[in-house]
Amino acid sequence: METYGIDIWGENNFIIENGLVKVNHASKPALINLVKEIREQDYKGPLLLRFPHLTQLQIDKLFNLYENAIKEYNYQGKFNAVFPLKVNQLPNFLHPLIESGKKYNYGLEAGSKAELFIAMTYNKTAPITVNGFKDKEMIHLGFIAKKMGHNITLIIEGLNELEIILEVARETKLVCPNIGLRVRLFNQGGGVWAKSGGIDSKFGLSSTEILEAYEMLKKNKLSGYLTMIHFHIGSSMTNIKPLKKALKESGHIYAELKNLGAKNLKAINIGGGLAVEYSQFKKSINYSMQEFANDVIFTLKNIAKQKNVDEPDIFTESGRFIAANSTVLITPVLELFSAEYEANNLRLKEINPPLIEELNSLYNDINSKMALEYMHDSIDHLESLLKLFDLGYIDLQDRSNAEILTHLIIKKAISFLEIDDFEEIKRIDNKIQEKYLLNFSIFQSLPDFWGIAQEFPVMPITHLNRKPTRSASLWDITCDSDGEIPFNPKKPLYLHDVNLEKEEYYLAFFLVGAYQDILGMKHNLFSHPTEINIVFEDGNMKLEKICESQKIIDILEDIDYDTDEIRNILYANVDKETYEILDKYLNDNNYLKTTWS
Ligand SMILES: *Cc1c(COP(=O)(O)O)cnc(C)c1O
């Protein structure tokens, strides 16, 4: 049976049982049952399901990995982690995360003033780190956070930020927060996001600037506030080698600064980058998570020993690893494009062009032995007939018959081949794909697919006891040709041949909890899907924090239309019935509604 690589990317969080995808937790509900329950409350269109228990699981994993490694190597430094807010700032994701992290004193990382406000509001005692480019206001805000009792570290990206820190300290007389130095490493990360590291990186201080920064701090009697060295070599490192190099480089910078007299320097912040396995076909990550933690501890221990300094505390800011698996996007399939190619739509004539007669007999005579050959022949015939149409030799009715017959032959052939010779079919997948129209927007819900061709595991949530026979390309409902996930023969997606008039068919995209929510854009004014937290408590399942997809009128307000004006103009000269319809539609969301989708 086709399992869509769930054993590669699924981490046992989701399982297939009796043809259904189920949540592998508590009562093990099938995703289709969750979907039905939610839709019974009249929430239709695409759904975003969040599973806070999976966020909890990832936090537990992260802290356990390092606890194991610290024990194994008898490491003297402490382990700390912060969640980088840019990965997912939405309250329905974040509140459960903060709750889950309390027992570990799990903190937050902020990269902008808005994120810092979130951290200052919802983080009581856990550490806050601040990265990114900062102005005087943001640095001042850091001082205020410190005054309010937060355990905050401002990590500077350049000497100018340090100068502002000195300025704010002088002007406000407030106590200085902890200071970290982001170091610009020679050793770059791998992967699509590698621009964060390396000698020509946008971020961090060169070795000359590090020395200068230390001297500036010393001269201003603030060197006691230097507590942290930071690096972040890039997101989703699938290869561990760059990390090892970066650890060595930053470990030595830490030790050198200690030996220069930075007595309160006590931590190395290794940034994020723990990878998530998105592949449905072949593992892409070349290390285990425990190996990653062991390498961190082992490398830093050795450097501390070599340079005779205290073993540093460790901070990590991994976000993708914490957030990705918590969220599943469910999209109803609205249409299979070839659905109109039905035998009862044929308009055969008394006398048909010879190639059509030929197609007709292929269709009537096809059997399992000749399936592949007939399918090839039919595709050739169709190509010839389309040429004839362009030259004006056959009419529209003939062309329609040719298209229908060819699709019928392909379908029949596939159903024969399903039994015997499924492998063969892969060779000609490109020509016989089915297009599946999904009720969602790629721009809103999978922006990283659009922007950087990031793959996300996708599979149907039902029908898994049946062999999928259609090579599929997926189309969203935006009017944009980029709103397509094309069929890729190297990583083929097969879906079921379903009759949507008789049965429902949903696809789920997994691992969409990191970055997608906030990067999503309102192309064609499609807003976020309806979101729901699925919470398990004492074996009981609850649907919480339902956040419905935005109403059209609210979307228009968001982009600064005067909604009173819109109503006034629309309603000015209409009868009551029309008014009521307009008003209903304006107050509904923008996704498509068919009888069931
Ligand atoms: C983006 C970012 C992270 C998070 O990276 P992940 O790959 O999601 O773990 C951590 N630290 C900094 C400084 C970042 O910019």
Side-chain angles (χ1 to χ4, degrees):
M1 271 305 117
E2 176 63 61
T3 57
Y4 296 92
I6 201 169
D7 50 332
I8 299 173
W9 55 265
E11 300 251 308
N12 243 345
N13 294 328
F14 297 92
I15 48 168
I16 301 174
E17 247 178 42
N18 305 326
L20 305 174
V21 183
K22 297 185 173 177
V23 186
N24 190 19
H25 188 68
S27 56
K28 299 199 166 79
L31 290 180
I32 185 68
N33 292 339
L34 292 177
V35 168
K36 283 187 176 151
E37 198 172 325
I38 294 161
R39 291 165 65 88
E40 263 163 28
Q41 304 177 36
D42 220 27
Y43 298 111
K44 298 206 169 154
L47 300 175
L48 203 65
L49 309 184
R50 296 187 201 284
F51 295 97
H53 76 277
L54 291 177
T55 312
Q56 169 86 66
L57 185 74
Q58 292 307 97
I59 296 173
D60 290 344
K61 265 190 208 164
L62 181 68
F63 280 87
N64 283 335
L65 291 173
Y66 279 91
E67 195 183 294
N68 293 342
I70 282 173
K71 261 197 206 130
E72 162 123 17
Y73 294 102
N74 188 26
Y75 191 76
Q76 300 306 307
K78 290 199 188 67
F79 175 72
N80 306 271
V82 292
F83 177 75
L85 282 166
K86 78 162 186 281
V87 177
N88 198 330
Q89 306 93 336
L90 298 195
N92 289 349
F93 169 81
L94 197 67
H95 288 313
L97 172 137
I98 290 173
E99 208 45 49
S100 297
K102 273 193 177 144
K103 65 179 168 196
Y104 302 111
N105 211 29
Y106 186 39
L108 294 172
E109 185 261 1
S112 67
K113 281 178 260 191
E115 290 181 356
L116 183 51
F117 273 113
I118 296 178
M120 288 166 65
T121 309
Y122 293 106
N123 197 37
K124 294 288 178 287
T125 57
I128 297 175
T129 60
V130 185
N131 291 302
F133 296 108
K134 302 166 209 61
D135 61 3
K136 194 167 173 182
E137 271 183 23
M138 187 158 169
I139 284 169
H140 192 185
L141 200 55
F143 276 70
I144 290 171
K146 167 79 183 176
K147 184 179 167 190
M148 289 165 70
H150 288 289
N151 170 6
I152 181 169
T153 308
L154 294 180
I155 297 167
I156 62 163
E157 306 274 354
L159 288 178
N160 63 320
E161 288 182 5
L162 189 54
E163 273 160 18
I164 304 175
I165 288 180
L166 301 177
E167 205 177 299
V168 174
R170 256 197 324 272
E171 288 171 10
T172 64
K173 306 274 187 295
L174 287 169
V175 179
C176 189
N178 291 336
I179 296 171
L181 304 179
R182 180 159 185 169
V183 297
R184 189 181 304 173
L185 298 179
F186 179 67
N187 292 296
Q188 207 164 338
V192 208
W193 292 275
K195 286 195 285 282
S196 308
I199 200 105
D200 52 358
S201 153
K202 171 171 148 194
F203 304 106
L205 284 74
S206 68
S207 45
T208 315
E209 288 168 327
I210 291 168
L211 290 172
E212 219 170 302
Y214 185 64
E215 280 156 16
M216 275 166 75
L217 283 167
K218 225 163 95 179
K219 200 168 124 218
N220 289 277
K221 304 207 162 40
L222 290 174
S223 64
Y225 291 97
L226 174 62
T227 57
M228 186 183 284
I229 292 295
H230 174 259
F231 69 85
H232 171 67
I233 56 177
S235 204
S236 217
M237 290 182 272
T238 48
N239 183 345
I240 199 162
K241 246 191 172 160
L243 173 84
K244 289 191 191 179
K245 288 189 184 158
L247 280 167
K248 282 190 192 139
E249 212 180 326
S250 60
H252 281 291
I253 293 171
Y254 160 85
E256 292 284 318
L257 282 169
K258 290 284 300 179
N259 286 335
L260 278 176
K263 59 180 189 312
N264 290 337
L265 177 60
K266 59 177 193 302
I268 294 189
N269 180 338
I270 64 168
L274 259 185
V276 164
E277 185 58 81
Y278 290 99
S279 174
Q280 274 184 282
F281 294 90
K282 195 169 139 256
K283 265 202 174 312
S284 64
I285 304 175
N286 82 345
Y287 57 88
S288 78
M289 296 299 140
Q290 189 62 59
E291 186 185 342
F292 187 105
N294 289 356
D295 279 343
V296 172
I297 300 292
F298 178 79
T299 310
L300 295 181
K301 187 174 179 87
N302 276 346
I303 293 170
K305 191 168 160 201
Q306 185 191 350
K307 294 242 157 122
N308 197 24
V309 293
D310 289 343
E311 292 170 3
D313 291 347
I314 292 155
F315 276 73
T316 76
E317 299 176 335
S318 269
R320 186 182 296 280
F321 174 80
I322 297 293
N325 72 9
S326 69
T327 310
V328 181
L329 171 72
I330 309 246
T331 59
V333 176
L334 293 170
E335 198 181 314
L336 274 60
F337 278 26
S338 75
E340 79 251 38
Y341 299 120
E342 299 249 8
N344 57 10
N345 289 335
L346 278 172
R347 293 178 174 82
L348 290 173
K349 302 171 179 169
E350 290 275 302
I351 301 168
N352 297 289
L355 275 176
I356 303 251
E357 292 294 348
E358 181 77 7
L359 277 178
N360 202 20
S361 46
L362 288 176
Y363 174 53
N364 290 320
D365 300 344
I366 192 167
N367 56 41
S368 72
K369 225 164 122 199
M370 304 303 288
L372 199 61
E373 197 181 321
Y374 281 21
M375 182 158 77
H376 286 158
D377 289 351
S378 70
I379 293 170
D380 286 348
H381 288 354
L382 179 63
E383 282 170 1
S384 307
L385 282 158
L386 290 173
K387 272 194 203 114
L388 290 176
F389 179 76
D390 286 349
L391 295 169
Y393 292 122
I394 64 168
D395 62 19
L396 193 57
Q397 192 176 340
D398 296 327
R399 178 176 164 168
S400 155
N401 290 332
E403 288 174 3
I404 295 176
L405 283 167
T406 308
H407 276 94
L408 290 173
I409 292 165
I410 290 169
K411 271 198 185 181
K412 253 194 177 174
I414 292 170
S415 68
F416 285 128
L417 289 167
E418 185 181 354
I419 309 157
D420 309 334
D421 206 2
F422 192 60
E423 281 305 309
E424 262 302 302
I425 222 170
K426 290 191 180 172
R427 288 196 302 121
I428 41 171
D429 272 330
N430 256 329
K431 288 195 171 154
I432 58 163
Q433 299 157 23
E434 178 63 279
K435 300 184 177 86
Y436 289 73
L437 181 67
L438 310 181
N439 198 2
F440 86 127
S441 154
I442 285 175
F443 301 87
Q444 172 60 236
S445 292
L446 302 176
D448 274 347
F449 173 80
W450 173 73
I452 52 172
Q454 169 69 47
E455 299 170 80
F456 294 92
V458 56
M459 67 189 291
I461 60 174
T462 57
H463 290 70
L464 296 165
N465 42 16
R466 257 170 60 190
K467 189 161 188 162
T469 54
R470 301 308 313 260
S471 41
S473 59
L474 308 179
W475 294 69
D476 76 3
I477 53 172
T478 65
C479 309
D480 191 312
S481 55
D482 275 352
E484 183 203 353
I485 303 180
F487 181 75
N488 177 354
K490 292 207 181 88
K491 298 176 173 180
L493 174 68
Y494 293 101
L495 295 176
H496 299 89
D497 194 15
V498 285
N499 180 349
L500 292 171
E501 293 186 355
K502 299 208 179 97
E503 51 190 334
E504 301 183 348
Y505 195 61
Y506 298 90
L507 298 188
F509 292 88
F510 291 85
L511 306 176
V512 300
Y515 298 100
Q516 305 315 295
D517 280 302
I518 216 71
L519 286 177
M521 56 200 122
K522 292 185 187 164
H523 197 11
N524 272 142
L525 300 184
F526 290 110
S527 79
H528 64 83
T530 295
E531 306 175 8
I532 307 99
N533 283 19
I534 316 282
V535 178
F536 298 93
E537 256 172 30
D538 310 323
N540 294 323
M541 190 186 76
K542 284 194 294 190
L543 305 181
E544 283 187 355
K545 303 194 162 125
I546 297 185
C547 173
E548 193 176 359
S549 181
Q550 254 185 318
K551 293 173 184 175
I552 291 173
I553 192 73
D554 293 343
I555 298 172
L556 297 177
E557 183 166 20
D558 266 7
I559 56 171
D560 277 347
Y561 277 97
D562 178 341
T563 53
D564 287 334
E565 182 178 85
I566 288 178
R567 286 195 189 91
N568 289 340
I569 295 172
L570 284 175
Y571 303 161
N573 292 310
V574 298
D575 56 42
K576 186 157 179 290
E577 194 184 342
T578 313
Y579 157 77
E580 276 168 6
I581 293 172
L582 288 175
D583 198 57
K584 179 173 177 304
Y585 288 179
L586 261 185
N587 283 289
D588 223 331
N589 74 56
N590 201 21
Y591 287 99
L592 298 193
K593 290 177 200 68
T594 60
T595 38
W596 66 275
S597 67

